[in-house]
Amino acid sequence: VLLSEDSNYVQDLLLRESARALDVTIRDAFLSPLEPLRNLPFPRLGPITLPLELAKASLELQAIDKSDHKKLENVRILTDALNKGRSKMSTDNSSGNTRSGSFDFPVGRIIGEASKRRLALTRIGVRFGGSLLSVQSERLRERAEKRGGESSTNNDVAERLAVRGADTLDMLTDAISSLVSNLAK
């Protein structure tokens, strides 16, 4: 089911949730150091400060909100669980508690199986890219709608930037869907 060449509900759900987790994790890693810049006041001098307004609007659209914090916490929980499992395996291996090499990583077998499923893995990877773009587009549209009721120059810039970005991401998502359809032929 997970490595099926054709899309299915379970695979789509995992790809979409993985895309959400990756989106928020990357935004957190890259934007956390820039957070103080987002709150800096600067004078509005028309076209002279437009690049600063665009940068500030972009940072506001990418900011981590309450739902993103929840997703980050879920990613941390999963990461901790995987790391505990990995450290337990290595402890068991080092103390000689393995059963006839049951924890040996079968690289050759994995490469062989991956080569047999090359087209399926390609289609899954392309669909994951589409899911990532779709998640980002949805986030931008949600943030544009939230800003729609507020009136200020920076909110107007942020709203227009979000809508334009979401439209562009939607076009890329459509192109990826077309690519997936062509790969199926």
Side-chain angles (χ1 to χ4, degrees):
V1 172
L2 293 179
L3 295 179
S4 171
E5 194 170 315
D6 296 320
S7 178
N8 60 64
Y9 176 76
V10 173
Q11 190 182 76
D12 289 342
L13 179 68
L14 287 173
L15 289 176
R16 185 157 197 76
E17 291 305 314
S18 297
R20 283 188 173 133
L22 182 62
D23 174 57
V24 72
T25 303
I26 288 174
R27 284 188 294 119
D28 183 55
F30 283 113
L31 297 175
S32 291
L34 301 175
E35 189 62 27
L37 297 176
R38 190 169 69 101
N39 299 318
L40 279 178
F42 60 89
R44 301 212 191 285
L45 302 173
I48 296 172
T49 58
L50 184 60
L52 290 174
E53 289 178 43
L54 286 171
K56 186 172 180 175
S58 178
L59 287 173
E60 287 175 9
L61 291 171
Q62 302 300 327
I64 305 297
D65 62 11
K66 287 181 184 179
S67 68
D68 290 336
H69 282 293
K70 181 67 175 163
K71 290 174 194 160
L72 283 170
E73 183 59 29
N74 291 339
V75 168
R76 285 185 191 103
I77 289 169
L78 286 172
T79 304
D80 289 346
L82 289 172
N83 286 336
K84 285 179 185 173
R86 190 177 308 142
S87 67
K88 181 169 174 21
M89 252 193 330
S90 66
T91 302
D92 288 348
N93 279 338
S94 65
S95 63
N97 292 339
T98 59
R99 288 171 285 144
S100 66
S102 63
F103 290 112
D104 290 342
F105 196 73
V107 175
R109 183 172 173 224
I110 290 173
I111 290 172
E113 292 298 319
S115 68
K116 289 178 192 174
R117 293 175 175 81
R118 187 175 48 235
L119 183 58
L121 293 173
T122 300
R123 290 182 64 195
I124 292 168
V126 171
R127 282 197 303 270
F128 177 73
S131 293
L132 189 57
L133 292 172
S134 177
V135 163
Q136 292 171 346
S137 172
E138 287 172 13
R139 180 179 39 78
L140 287 174
R141 288 197 191 287
E142 287 171 8
R143 295 202 176 171
E145 287 174 16
K146 285 180 186 176
R147 296 184 176 289
E150 305 168 11
S151 62
S152 79
T153 306
N154 202 43
N155 283 334
D156 184 45
V157 170
E159 182 182 358
R160 291 190 326 204
L161 188 61
V163 169
R164 182 149 308 167
D167 289 344
T168 303
L169 289 170
D170 287 342
M171 286 189 299
L172 286 170
T173 302
D174 292 343
I176 285 178
S177 294
S178 175
L179 177 62
V180 168
S181 296
N182 288 338
L183 284 173
K185 294 177 183 177

